[in-house]
Amino acid sequence: MNVEVTPLPGIGTRQDFMIRAGRRIGVITHRDGKFELIVSSKDDPDNCSASIALTPAEAGTLAGLLGAPQLVAHLEEQHRDVAGISTRQFPIVPGSTFDGRTLGETELRTRTGASIVAVVRAGSVHPSPRPDFVFEGGDLVVVVGTADGLAKTADILDG
Amino acid sequence: MPNTAIALVQLGAVFFGLGLLGKLAWRIGISPIPLYLIGGLAFGQGGIVPLHGIEDFTHIASEIGVILLLLLLGLEYSAAELVTGLKRSWTAGVVDIVLNAAPGAIAALILGWGPVGALAMAGVTYISSSGIIAKVLGDLGRLGNRETPVVLSVLVFEDLAMAVYLPILTAVLAGVSFLGGLSAVGISLLAITVVLIIALRFGKYVSALVDSPDPEVFLLKVLGAALLVAGVAAQLQVSAAVGAFLLGIAISGSTAENATRMLEPLRDLFAAMFFVVFGLNTDPTSIPPVLGLAIALAVVTTLTKVATGWWAAKRQGIGRLGRARAGAALVARGEFSIVIASLAVASGGVDGELAALATAYVLLMAVLGPVAARVVEPLAKFTRKRGTEPATA
């Protein structure tokens, strides 16, 4: 991706790139640590139809939300050479069986052979969660296993 | 009432009044500078409440105001930004000088104020207000726009031009000979070069010298250094303000950021005082006679700034709407036009009407700038829809 970096003297730095839809999208990093998300207008690529001020915490959360599928893709990449192993993410639906229960209670490894390698919650990634990790509705559970194991995992976590 | 008590009451009333004016200004979306000037005019000769006993304080406070204005301007840019900005924008910068200094100079010559008056008025109409422009760009959400770096680099160039211009103006105002003027220019160019080299190579050490983890110590050191440098610069016939500006450039990195954060409220306080004092010293009755000229100058220099921005943005491959926005963004004049006018008037070397003209001009331009930046887009779109060329004004 061709990210253009433009210094804004006295203000900070702008980093943006052109997306396939023909709009510029990017981030202004202010000197004082604030961020601004910018999206160019459709009809006037020089102009911004939105510039949204974000605190560092908000920017981190947004990055996590956008980065979660990236994490799965990355794990997928790592396991590609291992025949028969793949990575998938499963949502914990609010109010479902495991909403509010621990990772250990799923007994996933024993029952399916698949492993939970990460949980994505509210935009931030919790890698290698321990058995006492408590799930919440809205969590995304990243699981690595065989096709069969992942199918069984889907049954268990959906229940 | 004892004198101190009277002075305190008056100062309190002035500051409180300025606070109310500032609040009003930002609420209606303009810069508070014109309101401060009007406040000063109202309380000056024949004003509502003549002020006595605080002249000493207001005088020194307004001096500190100018020093802080330029110190913070210097702090805003790192030396590296100035150098790249200069490389990138020097052609636009030259166009900017030619187009916008000329109307002021010509007006002064027509009025018979001579070459010194022309030099001062050239500065008044040339320099955009980086303070107003940065605020307006932020408010309108245009920091991410493609033409914004063009606008900012023109401002950077103007600020560097000021660093050269102010010492020349001070020297000329002091009535030095041609040779003396040349040596003042030489000294100021040398000083700027030395400071830029120091800032680029040894900025760390300058910063370390004033830096301190303790806010109180830090504030005292930065303010002390600024006043010291400004005083020495004034003694050397280089303007005090320029000394502060150069110190600001030499301080970099996190030290500069901390200093900016800490000094901003102080600057706003003392700079407000500076505008009031300028207004106080201007006779309100001198404004109506020059109002027509000020309006004419405002119209001409609005067009020339728009042309400057349009041209600079076009060179960077910006579309028509963006060019119009860049041009309109540059229109605002403010704090530095008044700084120049006050230097000129204080020296006594120029016609007394200059203060009145500069005041009326800045009153118009400080209001017109933000308005122009706002209306340019609908205006340009409207004219484009009608199938004509987008407005350049």
Side-chain angles (χ1 to χ4, degrees):
Chain A
M1 207 71 72
N2 183 21
V3 177
E4 207 177 315
V5 181
T6 316
L8 300 175
I11 292 166
T13 316
R14 186 183 79 203
Q15 290 160 286
D16 60 351
F17 59 96
M18 200 62 121
I19 57 172
R20 202 186 300 171
R23 298 174 85 165
R24 277 187 311 122
I25 206 161
V27 171
I28 296 174
T29 313
H30 286 255
R31 285 255 189 84
D32 54 9
K34 278 183 291 201
F35 295 95
E36 216 170 291
L37 175 69
I38 53 166
V39 184
S40 73
S41 315
K42 234 181 217 158
D43 51 343
D44 178 6
D46 299 328
N47 193 20
C48 284
S49 61
S51 67
I52 301 149
L54 297 173
T55 65
E58 288 160 353
T61 304
L62 183 63
L65 288 177
L66 292 169
Q70 206 76 24
L71 172 79
V72 174
H74 185 67
L75 287 170
E76 194 85 55
E77 183 77 16
Q78 277 182 340
H79 296 135
R80 203 165 48 189
D81 297 337
V82 189
I85 294 283
S86 46
T87 311
R88 268 180 68 187
Q89 52 178 339
F90 299 96
I92 298 288
V93 182
S96 69
T97 322
F98 290 104
D99 181 0
R101 292 173 69 181
T102 66
L103 187 154
E105 285 177 89
T106 62
E107 296 180 330
L108 203 68
R109 210 184 166 85
T110 326
R111 289 157 73 183
T112 69
S115 316
I116 296 176
V117 293
V119 176
V120 182
R121 173 177 298 166
S124 52
V125 176
H126 301 262
S128 306
R130 304 188 63 81
D132 56 355
F133 186 93
V134 181
F135 291 128
E136 271 175 22
D139 283 354
L140 277 177
V141 181
V142 183
V143 184
V144 175
T146 59
D148 187 38
L150 288 176
K152 284 184 188 153
T153 304
D155 291 340
I156 293 168
L157 291 181
D158 278 350
Chain B
M1 271 197 284
N3 277 341
T4 318
I6 297 172
L8 285 179
V9 166
Q10 288 185 356
L11 261 186
V14 169
F15 282 140
F16 195 78
L18 291 180
L20 292 179
L21 285 177
K23 187 181 168 187
L24 174 74
W26 291 128
R27 178 159 296 176
I28 55 178
I30 63 163
S31 149
I33 293 171
L35 295 187
Y36 294 160
L37 285 172
I38 291 173
L41 284 172
F43 285 99
Q45 298 160 353
I48 310 159
V49 188
L51 299 171
H52 294 296
I54 57 169
E55 292 89 347
D56 287 347
F57 174 80
T58 53
H59 174 71
I60 195 86
S62 82
E63 286 286 319
I64 296 175
V66 176
I67 290 168
L68 286 178
L69 269 173
L70 277 131
L71 174 70
L72 265 83
L73 189 67
L75 283 174
E76 228 168 74
Y77 306 116
S78 68
E81 276 178 344
L82 283 177
V83 172
T84 46
L86 201 61
K87 274 187 201 150
R88 202 183 277 184
S89 67
W90 72 270
T91 40
V94 170
V95 169
D96 186 26
I97 291 184
V98 173
L99 284 182
N100 295 293
I106 292 168
L109 289 176
I110 291 173
L111 288 169
W113 293 348
V116 180
L119 182 66
M121 276 310 293
V124 170
T125 56
Y126 162 58
I127 182 100
S128 297
S129 166
S130 42
I132 297 179
I133 292 169
K135 173 94 175 108
V136 167
L137 287 178
D139 285 352
L140 295 179
R142 289 200 190 147
L143 292 180
N145 284 19
R146 254 199 205 138
E147 78 277 1
T148 296
V150 176
V151 173
L152 294 177
S153 61
V154 168
L155 293 181
V156 170
F157 187 92
E158 286 189 358
D159 296 335
L160 265 187
M162 285 298 278
V164 180
Y165 167 85
L166 280 179
I168 298 174
L169 180 71
T170 351
V172 171
L173 288 171
V176 292
S177 63
F178 180 68
L179 214 63
L182 272 188
S183 72
V185 174
I187 289 173
S188 62
L189 281 177
L190 195 70
I192 290 159
T193 316
V194 169
V195 167
L196 279 182
I197 291 170
I198 291 177
L200 279 172
R201 294 266 167 83
F202 311 107
K204 270 190 301 202
Y205 302 106
V206 180
S207 306
L209 194 68
V210 292
D211 206 4
S212 167
D214 182 50
E216 186 184 323
V217 175
F218 182 54
L219 181 64
L220 289 173
K221 278 210 269 189
V222 174
L223 196 61
L227 295 182
L228 269 175
V229 170
V232 171
Q235 201 61 39
L236 292 174
Q237 298 289 322
V238 182
S239 143
V242 174
F245 176 65
L246 294 180
L247 176 71
I249 292 175
I251 299 174
S252 57
S254 60
T255 313
E257 281 161 38
N258 289 336
T260 306
R261 206 170 308 135
M262 222 169 252
L263 290 174
E264 236 167 13
L266 264 187
R267 175 200 60 186
D268 294 345
L269 179 72
F270 285 106
M273 216 55 222
F274 165 71
F275 294 120
V276 172
V277 168
F278 188 80
L280 282 175
N281 294 332
T282 308
D283 184 356
T285 56
S286 66
I287 287 189
V290 295
L291 197 57
L293 184 64
I295 291 172
L297 215 48
V299 171
V300 171
T301 57
T302 297
L303 293 176
T304 51
K305 272 289 179 195
V306 170
T308 306
W310 180 278
W311 188 83
K314 190 180 174 186
R315 275 172 50 88
Q316 302 290 328
I318 309 289
R320 283 169 174 275
L321 270 177
R323 289 177 215 167
R325 279 194 302 267
L330 284 169
V331 169
R333 317 294 208 281
E335 62 274 31
F336 293 109
S337 301
I338 295 292
V339 169
I340 293 166
S342 87
L343 278 177
V345 173
S347 76
V350 296
D351 197 283
E353 270 192 320
L354 194 142
L357 181 59
T359 309
Y361 177 72
V362 169
L363 285 178
L364 290 169
M365 296 310 276
V367 176
L368 196 60
V371 172
R374 272 187 176 76
V375 302
V376 66
E377 220 163 0
L379 201 70
K381 276 184 183 152
F382 177 71
T383 48
R384 192 167 59 171
K385 260 191 206 129
R386 293 179 24 138
T388 53
E389 288 279 282
T392 49

